[in-house]
Amino acid sequence: MPMKIFKTETEDKLTINRIMHARSYSLLLDRKRCIGCDICNIVCPREAIDIEKPAKIEGEKLTPPRINVDENKCQFCGICNTICPFGALALEINDERTIPVLRTESFPQIIHEIEVDTSKCPTDCRECEEICPFDLIKISVDEEKNGVNVDVETDHCPCCRLCEVKCPHDAIHTRKIIFGSIAIKSEKCPGGCSDCVDVCPIPGVLYLSADGKVHVNEFPCIYCGVCKIVCPAEGALEMQRTSVHHTPVHSGAWNKALEKLCSTEGMAKELRSRLIVKAQESVRRRLGKEVP
Amino acid sequence: MAEEPRIGVFVCHCGLNIAGVIDIEALTEYAKTLPNVVYAVHNRYTCSDPGQEEIRKGIDEHGLNRVIVAACSPRMHEFTFRRCVSEAGLNPFLFEMANIRELCSWCHPSNPEEATEKAKEIVKMAVAKARLLQPLMPIQVPVTDKALVLGGGIAGMNAALEMAEMGFKVYLVEKKESIGGHMAQLDKTFPTLDCSICIEGPKMVDVSRHPNVEIISFADLLSVEGYVGNFRVKVRKNPRYIIDDNCTGCGECKDVCPIEYPNEWDMNMGVRRTISVPFDQAVPLIYRINMDYCIECYKCVDACGDRQAIDFSQEPEEIELEVGTIVAATGYDIYLPPEGNLYGYGKYSNVITSLEFERLILAAGPTGGHVIRASDGNRPRTVALIQCVGSRDLNIHEYCSGFCCMYTLKHTIQLKEHYGDDVEVYVFYIDMRSNFKGYEEFYQRALEMGVNFIRGRVSEIIEDPKTENLVIRAEDTLLGEPIEVEVELAVLATAAVSSEDAGEVAKILNITRGTDGFFMESHPKLKPIDTPVDGIFIAGACQGPKDIPYSVSQGAGAAARAATILSKPSWEIEPIVSVIDPDKCRNVKAKCGICASKCPYGAIRVEPGKPAEVIAATCHGCGTCVAECPSDAITQMHFTDAQIFAQIDAALGESAEKKILGFLCNWCSYAGADLAGTSRFEYPPTLRAIRVMCSGRVDRDFVLEAFRRGAGMVLVGACHLPYDCHYISGNWRMKERMEALAKVLEKLGISPERFRVEYVSAAEGVKFASVIKEMSEEMKELGRERIIAENEKVKPYLDRMMARKRPKQVAVAQIRT
């Protein structure tokens, strides 16, 4: 049977399929989870992903940008899978979830670091469950241990840290996935425009102030970059990513991806820090003792 | 050459081929009456030994210094008789042939009287030219004793090995990463059921190890320049991003590569890694990185380690090879039914082609040797094999692909051997073509194993949407009833077609393709390996679909043909070249250089203030420069203006208004005319043909002279545009020239239908016959009176125009090499 490559689109899902006689590939994009940030677009080695800016309709809230994948270019490497902070993409080979670039350590996994110390949780507290903007936390009462189970869908959590901040009992520890900086130049912000506020997935990061301009509360910002995509005023919104929290890896592909996501300096910094760690290790081995 | 011409005419019966239509006696007697003819005889078979002996005797006893044989086409036996004549001590270029078979007796069988009259005029034309022939000495060129084989399949490899064993250096250029061709994709070969790669693998290794063979793989052919014995070939080596010498073929890099992409070698049913070899027995065993897919993670570099074989900075490399001969063995492609085909290929998951089946049943294939359905991964319990998909089909390809019946039998036997009674096999065929050694016995074997053969062409395949089984609809012609069979897997035996880049290769090598797309041989019976281009040979499936033993034989045959050239220190080139008269060349006084700009081969050297000069060894003898020169300063040896004017004169002596004077180019239109005769397509005997090497040779003055002498119609026959001209662009020059001339003729008052330019290829006998028929009809419709009237009106103008042209006999100029 000759190879078939096709794309299927529904309201909630975009599926790319490559069906061969004895091997099938599918890439699924969950549109409910995708916020249109285009991080996948930036790192895709085949430039197979496209982003469509939303059309502005007067008086209505702006819809998020729409991702489109070119089925003829996708090589089913799985890089978009691992890099998406929201876990919106799923790759399957022969109906089994797998990510080829992870198998060969050609790409790192981003670390969704969320730890909940349930021993500190009173059974009636639902603060984190209620604050999570993506409904990823489910609290269930565990009769047996007389406490609660806090189940977090870590794969889809972009680590905005709102739950950590909201928790009154200091039970949650999180860490950002992407580090960076974001600032709005008020003089360039057009005022009366709420495009970035409309598309930002985390409530409270961007907000319209009394002066009609947008201001930013940087703490929960995940540096996804959706605001930058839709901002109509050039130079008004500056967002820079500086580093990514990921599993250790030694890969030219990741170096390139990091450079594209952050900046050349960001990549250089990471390479240097890796070098320092390596140097420390080799001295340690040589001297046979700890090096401060 | 002040000697008086003493012409001998030898008329051939050719058994009944000529004698059956033409009155040989009358023709011979007529020949005797022609001026300068001192001897005329007829013979049953002039090309036979006694016939040739007669010619030699005639030359000796009668002091002949010009010989004419009135028989078949010069494309048939000119070489034979030239040799015969030179053995008798006469210069071979003092010989001329009068084609009274292909262009006369064979195409006018119902018209013996008119055919005889036409034959008389053909002989008269030959005599007119012969009177003006000059002796010519062949040009010797050195021969590079190296060969190029294009294509590393089973035919190409054999050609390379044979030539290498003979002691010649061979460059084997293969466009894919590995040699082996389609045979390496097969599981088993018929009828011995040898494992294909087991017999081919050692051969591939032999080729790679042979000290005289240099394999240049993953390389494309860019250009070929030069001529026999001296070809300059440019090849581009595509980058593998691997350093050939450092790669040990260990494969550790592929194990750590994350990306896989569809493997063309597996018919896109399996995958290969970004760094990989196409299959495990590839020769040369050098890996390759496909940069379209590489994410540059450098895991392969790590795995390769100290060998340091990976080099991402590699660039394509252009190399130039100097060879004496070229063997093209570029193979074939498989026909894939296009979208919307009635067999559901591409739509239904369980319809596959035979090459896909071959990859399934192969142990090293994507399914490990298990024949499974794409829809559910299960083994099929019923399989249908369908013959003649795309072959023997008036809508797609009319020809029979030759090996499909045999490989289908092989597939049925393989299925039965693997799965025994667990599988029911049906073959839908039109005929079972098993016509070589062991093939019929192979068919019997399949019958004995319980394979069901249904004689009937499948009209369509329908899928059961639930089970994805296939319903085959055909007519069982032996029972005379329609039949429907439900099977779980359908295998289509698709046609073998000419390879995708055959057109590109043909253009670069300047060889022609037949109507079916495969390369055309010089003669389908006697010269199946030669091409009309000296020094270039074809072998294997690129000449036409064939099985492995046939391809192997042709490979060896091509090696022998090539060795004929390579084994000589020098090769003779026909001296039918152009020569420039320095006294007449315009470039001396005013800047000209038109000849150099029109020459398709760049064979003319022009320097300001000096007369232009032809580089004889590069001149291919098209004659385009002769027709283009505004000062008539160029002559083509053996096809001089004087000779052609003499032929025009002789042709239009009587009743010129009833005749079509045709100028036909040797390689296409004249060959097409020959083919019309060979195929016995009848047409009216109105044509008087003058053979030129290229339509580019046809001067405006020839056409004007023809009308001045009162011709009814004038035809210029050429090779098809844009690429078929044997001399690359001669036909384009002719087209420009004749389009301008047509306007002039119309202004002068000649009806436009009386002057035609037609493009007829060597394969278009039918077209040629119909062109002459059409023109004869039009001539009849115009009517004799009107034609004579137009001619009379035009004659005074043409007389004035031609007055300046008084072709003088050109002394044999010194041909400078």
Side-chain angles (χ1 to χ4, degrees):
Chain A
M1 182 201 85
M3 182 171 68
K4 289 189 204 165
I5 298 177
F6 54 93
K7 178 160 52 177
T8 339
E9 286 232 40
T10 64
E11 182 76 50
D12 292 338
K13 286 205 278 270
L14 168 68
T15 321
I16 307 284
N17 278 304
R18 179 168 77 193
I19 315 273
M20 299 159 84
H21 193 97
R23 206 164 169 79
S24 64
Y25 299 79
S26 79
L27 178 72
L28 196 122
L29 170 68
D30 187 345
R31 289 215 189 270
K32 291 201 301 292
R33 298 208 189 268
C34 173
I35 57 128
C37 68
D38 109 339
I39 286 180
C40 53
N41 176 14
I42 294 172
V43 298
C44 175
R46 296 265 286 172
E47 290 171 17
I49 304 182
D50 241 325
I51 184 142
E52 210 183 284
K53 280 213 227 171
K56 173 91 186 179
I57 303 174
E58 268 316 310
E60 272 185 34
K61 190 168 164 207
L62 190 65
T63 51
R66 215 175 141 82
I67 300 285
N68 197 8
V69 184
D70 184 346
E71 67 271 30
N72 292 309
K73 288 197 186 151
C74 178
Q75 63 183 7
F76 301 94
C77 61
I79 285 178
C80 52
N81 269 226
T82 59
I83 202 68
C84 178
F86 302 89
L89 292 147
L91 176 66
E92 280 181 13
I93 299 182
N94 284 348
D95 298 326
E96 231 179 79
R97 270 221 67 178
T98 174
I99 299 178
V101 285
L102 291 182
R103 180 183 60 82
T104 59
E105 292 177 21
S106 299
F107 218 76
Q109 266 180 309
I110 53 175
I111 301 176
H112 303 264
E113 192 171 317
I114 310 119
E115 280 154 18
V116 184
D117 184 0
T118 51
S119 62
K120 295 189 179 162
C121 303
T123 47
D124 58 349
C125 177
R126 298 285 178 273
E127 295 290 334
C128 55
E129 192 179 52
E130 283 162 14
I131 197 70
C132 177
F134 306 102
D135 292 324
L136 296 171
I137 307 182
K138 292 282 173 299
I139 300 181
S140 53
V141 179
D142 192 341
E143 298 293 351
E144 234 176 61
K145 69 173 194 189
N146 202 17
V148 289
N149 283 332
V150 181
D151 291 307
V152 185
E153 287 179 75
T154 46
D155 282 343
H156 302 288
C157 170
C159 298
C160 64
R161 307 187 71 194
L162 277 176
C163 53
E164 177 173 355
V165 156
K166 205 53 178 9
C167 176
H169 309 281
D170 202 26
I172 305 182
H173 165 71
T174 66
R175 192 157 152 190
K176 291 260 161 127
I177 301 175
I178 304 178
F179 293 87
S181 66
I182 180 170
I184 295 185
K185 290 215 155 74
S186 274
E187 63 275 17
K188 292 205 178 151
C189 176
C193 162
S194 64
D195 284 355
C196 57
V197 183
D198 290 341
V199 297
C200 177
I202 317 282
V205 174
L206 295 161
Y207 57 94
L208 268 174
S209 202
D211 62 358
K213 307 264 173 133
V214 181
H215 289 258
V216 63
N217 169 17
E218 194 164 343
F219 179 76
C221 177
I222 53 172
Y223 308 100
C224 64
V226 144
C227 48
K228 198 150 174 222
I229 296 172
V230 300
C231 174
E234 197 171 321
L237 197 145
E238 282 173 358
M239 193 279 296
Q240 192 68 255
R241 298 184 193 96
T242 50
S243 65
V244 179
H245 187 41
H246 61 83
T247 53
V249 79
H250 178 59
S251 151
W254 171 242
N255 293 346
K256 283 186 196 60
L258 186 59
E259 187 174 1
K260 286 191 216 159
L261 271 178
C262 305
S263 61
T264 318
E265 290 92 23
M267 177 195 77
K269 255 189 169 168
E270 183 176 298
L271 285 176
R272 224 179 308 135
S273 71
R274 254 192 258 155
L275 208 65
I276 291 173
V277 168
K278 258 195 162 162
Q280 280 183 326
E281 271 205 43
S282 78
V283 173
R284 201 175 293 136
R285 275 201 303 270
R286 187 96 202 279
L287 298 179
K289 63 177 181 194
E290 279 304 311
V291 175
Chain B
M1 203 83 221
E3 195 183 69
E4 188 70 19
R6 293 175 62 79
I7 304 177
V9 178
F10 298 84
V11 181
C12 189
H13 289 235
C14 193
L16 283 177
N17 280 313
I18 300 177
V21 176
I22 293 178
D23 185 343
I24 302 291
E25 284 287 350
L27 181 59
T28 317
E29 287 311 308
Y30 171 77
K32 289 186 184 151
T33 66
L34 294 168
N36 292 118
V37 174
V38 300
Y39 182 61
V41 284
H42 55 91
N43 202 299
R44 286 217 78 203
Y45 297 101
T46 314
C47 54
S48 64
D49 271 344
Q52 294 192 41
E53 187 53 37
E54 183 138 15
I55 296 179
R56 285 190 282 267
K57 243 178 39 184
I59 295 172
D60 274 338
E61 289 175 8
H62 297 266
L64 301 176
N65 56 22
R66 305 280 188 282
V67 170
I68 291 178
V69 170
C72 50
S73 170
R75 296 179 94 254
M76 189 85 211
H77 275 313
E78 187 172 63
F79 180 71
T80 319
F81 291 120
R82 275 194 185 155
R83 198 176 43 195
C84 161
V85 151
S86 66
E87 277 165 12
L90 200 59
N91 186 292
F93 291 92
L94 295 173
F95 165 79
E96 179 71 14
M97 270 193 93
N99 186 343
I100 57 171
R101 190 182 72 171
E102 278 88 334
L103 292 190
C104 196
S105 71
W106 269 353
C107 45
H108 311 306
S110 342
N111 243 325
E113 287 98 27
E114 291 194 50
T116 308
E117 288 309 306
K118 177 173 171 180
K120 286 183 186 166
E121 287 184 1
I122 294 177
V123 171
K124 186 171 162 206
M125 287 163 74
V127 168
K129 178 168 176 182
R131 239 177 258 131
L132 300 171
L133 287 173
Q134 299 282 2
L136 297 171
M137 298 312 295
I139 308 166
Q140 300 280 349
V141 290
V143 170
T144 311
D145 61 351
K146 300 197 199 123
L148 170 72
V149 175
L150 211 56
I154 192 70
M157 290 197 301
N158 266 288
L161 274 175
E162 295 290 338
M163 284 192 280
E165 279 294 299
M166 285 185 224
F168 303 113
K169 163 97 196 222
V170 182
Y171 298 106
L172 179 55
V173 172
E174 165 60 51
K175 102 178 145 192
K176 295 211 163 73
E177 293 155 59
S178 166
I179 57 176
H182 280 294
M183 184 179 168
Q185 286 179 294
L186 308 178
D187 178 29
K188 297 222 157 74
T189 56
F190 58 77
T192 48
L193 292 181
D194 280 310
C195 152
S196 182
I197 196 66
C198 305
I199 52 176
E200 204 192 8
K203 200 139 226 177
M204 288 158 67
V205 173
D206 279 346
V207 171
S208 72
R209 288 247 176 86
H210 204 289
N212 281 342
V213 178
E214 187 179 321
I215 300 180
I216 302 172
S217 59
F218 202 41
D220 295 312
L221 181 69
L222 291 178
S223 68
V224 170
E225 273 172 24
Y227 48 90
V228 58
N230 301 274
F231 289 110
R232 277 183 321 279
V233 180
K234 279 216 188 88
V235 167
R236 179 187 60 228
K237 286 169 73 163
N238 295 315
R240 285 179 140 102
Y241 305 100
I242 305 278
I243 300 169
D244 288 10
D245 292 331
N246 294 1
C247 179
T248 59
C250 65
E252 285 174 27
C253 50
K254 109 164 116 67
D255 291 333
V256 297
C257 178
I259 312 289
E260 11 179 82
Y261 65 98
N263 191 353
E264 222 180 51
W265 186 260
D266 269 335
M267 305 305 291
N268 287 346
M269 294 195 300
V271 290
R272 60 185 285 196
R273 299 284 166 84
T274 300
I275 183 168
S276 55
V277 276
F279 59 103
D280 289 330
Q281 295 98 335
V283 171
L285 192 61
I286 302 172
Y287 276 64
R288 170 212 165 196
I289 300 180
N290 187 340
M291 288 310 280
D292 285 342
Y293 296 99
C294 178
I295 59 171
E296 292 180 65
C297 65
Y298 303 138
K299 293 287 163 200
C300 49
V301 179
D302 285 341
C304 189
D306 288 331
R307 285 161 290 220
Q308 295 190 329
I310 298 177
D311 177 10
F312 281 97
S313 66
Q314 236 181 45
E315 295 275 343
E317 192 190 332
E318 249 184 56
I319 54 177
E320 202 173 288
L321 306 169
E322 276 175 22
V323 294
T325 56
I326 300 177
V327 174
T330 50
Y332 66 98
D333 271 347
I334 301 285
Y335 169 72
L336 294 175
E339 209 181 301
N341 67 87
L342 291 170
Y343 291 162
Y345 178 72
K347 202 164 51 148
Y348 308 146
S349 318
N350 294 321
V351 177
I352 62 177
T353 62
S354 341
L355 195 50
E356 286 169 17
F357 177 87
E358 197 79 41
R359 296 307 294 170
L360 285 178
I361 204 159
L362 179 82
T367 57
H370 300 289
V371 178
I372 56 171
R373 296 169 9 123
S375 59
D376 52 19
N378 290 334
R379 222 187 336 120
R381 285 160 300 184
T382 48
V383 181
L385 296 104
I386 296 156
Q387 300 305 98
C388 306
V389 177
S391 311
R392 304 184 69 189
D393 190 331
L394 289 175
N395 298 322
I396 308 172
H397 296 291
E398 219 180 300
Y399 57 83
C400 166
S401 294
F403 44 51
C404 343
C405 281
M406 285 312 295
Y407 70 54
T408 294
L409 290 174
K410 172 186 71 171
H411 289 165
T412 61
I413 294 177
Q414 282 175 299
L415 279 167
K416 281 297 192 183
E417 277 184 351
H418 277 233
Y419 305 120
D421 289 330
D422 282 345
V423 70
E424 194 65 43
V425 182
Y426 302 93
V427 176
F428 290 84
Y429 70 100
I430 306 175
D431 295 290
M432 261 298 142
R433 295 193 157 162
S434 49
N435 58 347
F436 204 57
K437 249 180 154 173
Y439 290 9
E440 184 63 27
E441 294 87 323
F442 200 63
Y443 177 31
Q444 290 304 319
R445 187 166 159 188
L447 283 167
E448 279 162 24
M449 288 179 111
V451 175
N452 304 297
F453 287 88
I454 300 170
R455 185 177 182 277
R457 193 165 211 161
V458 172
S459 61
E460 68 176 323
I461 298 183
I462 307 172
E463 189 191 46
D464 177 340
K466 219 170 49 167
T467 57
E468 290 189 85
N469 285 356
L470 305 150
V471 175
I472 317 284
R473 276 206 186 138
E475 186 199 342
D476 186 337
T477 58
L478 294 176
L479 288 179
E481 282 174 13
I483 185 171
E484 264 187 29
V485 180
E486 183 173 329
V487 293
E488 297 186 353
L489 179 71
V491 182
L492 308 178
T494 53
V497 296
S498 65
S499 60
E500 220 182 350
D501 56 5
E504 186 68 36
V505 173
K507 198 158 67 119
I508 295 174
L509 295 178
N510 206 15
I511 56 180
T512 30
R513 298 164 75 192
T515 42
D516 50 18
F518 295 97
F519 294 147
M520 229 171 92
E521 59 286 287
S522 286
H523 191 274
K525 290 295 223 186
L526 297 179
K527 292 189 180 167
I529 299 174
D530 292 36
T531 63
V533 181
D534 270 350
I536 299 187
F537 305 98
I538 47 181
C542 64
Q543 184 250 350
K546 49 181 64 72
D547 55 21
I548 292 166
Y550 195 170
S551 296
V552 170
S553 313
Q554 274 205 343
R561 294 292 297 125
T564 314
I565 299 172
L566 298 175
S567 57
K568 298 203 172 83
S570 66
W571 190 253
E572 268 182 21
I573 292 203
E574 277 211 342
I576 305 182
V577 296
S578 297
V579 179
I580 299 179
D581 184 350
D583 295 328
K584 287 194 183 162
C585 177
R586 211 187 336 163
N587 195 60
V588 182
K589 301 239 177 72
K591 184 159 170 235
C592 185
I594 289 179
C595 53
S597 69
K598 302 289 182 183
C599 173
Y601 297 94
I604 304 184
R605 215 174 3 228
V606 171
E607 279 163 48
K610 294 209 198 117
E613 214 181 303
V614 175
I615 308 162
T618 319
C619 173
H620 283 62
C622 66
T624 303
C625 54
V626 184
E628 293 282 335
C629 177
S631 318
D632 286 331
I634 315 183
T635 313
Q636 183 181 12
M637 295 290 115
H638 208 65
F639 289 93
T640 65
D641 279 351
Q643 289 161 3
I644 296 181
F645 277 118
Q647 284 177 295
I648 298 175
D649 214 45
L652 299 174
E654 286 168 29
S655 312
E657 70 281 352
K658 289 201 198 144
K659 300 202 180 119
I660 303 172
L661 187 66
F663 297 93
L664 305 178
C665 72
N666 180 61
W667 303 96
C668 284
S669 44
Y670 194 91
D674 273 352
L675 185 61
T678 311
S679 317
R680 312 293 195 279
F681 294 134
E682 206 167 341
Y683 54 85
T686 45
L687 175 73
R688 300 291 177 269
I690 295 179
R691 179 175 152 241
V692 288
M693 291 314 283
C694 179
S695 59
R697 172 75 185 88
V698 182
D699 205 312
R700 302 167 19 121
D701 292 339
F702 298 165
V703 179
L704 292 172
E705 177 70 6
F707 283 119
R708 190 182 79 89
R709 300 290 271 105
M713 318 253 281
V714 173
L715 165 72
V716 177
C719 300
H720 281 281
L721 304 165
Y723 298 126
D724 281 15
C725 179
H726 183 80
Y727 303 96
I728 307 169
S729 53
N731 56 354
W732 284 101
R733 302 289 89 83
M734 179 279 302
K735 176 173 184 286
E736 291 153 12
R737 207 181 301 146
M738 296 311 163
E739 275 174 357
L741 182 63
K743 296 199 184 101
V744 171
L745 290 172
E746 217 182 314
K747 269 219 182 93
L748 285 174
I750 297 191
S751 310
E753 52 263 62
R754 291 178 60 197
F755 174 55
R756 268 229 232 179
V757 171
E758 280 294 338
Y759 301 93
V760 179
S761 82
E764 289 178 313
V766 183
K767 181 169 178 193
F768 186 81
S770 68
V771 164
I772 303 300
K773 267 194 232 152
E774 228 179 271
M775 286 180 80
S776 309
E777 303 256 320
E778 281 176 4
M779 195 162 61
K780 230 200 296 195
E781 259 182 60
L782 281 171
R784 218 173 137 251
E785 286 78 30
R786 170 140 168 222
I787 292 178
I788 293 181
E790 283 181 7
N791 287 344
E792 271 179 18
K793 197 171 134 221
V794 156
K795 192 157 187 309
Y797 295 105
L798 292 178
D799 277 338
R800 272 205 302 273
M801 283 165 91
M802 298 308 291
R804 66 170 174 81
K805 188 134 187 149
R806 287 279 173 261
K808 286 189 267 288
Q809 182 63 346
V810 176
V812 177
Q814 188 76 21
I815 300 174
R816 271 184 246 136
T817 35

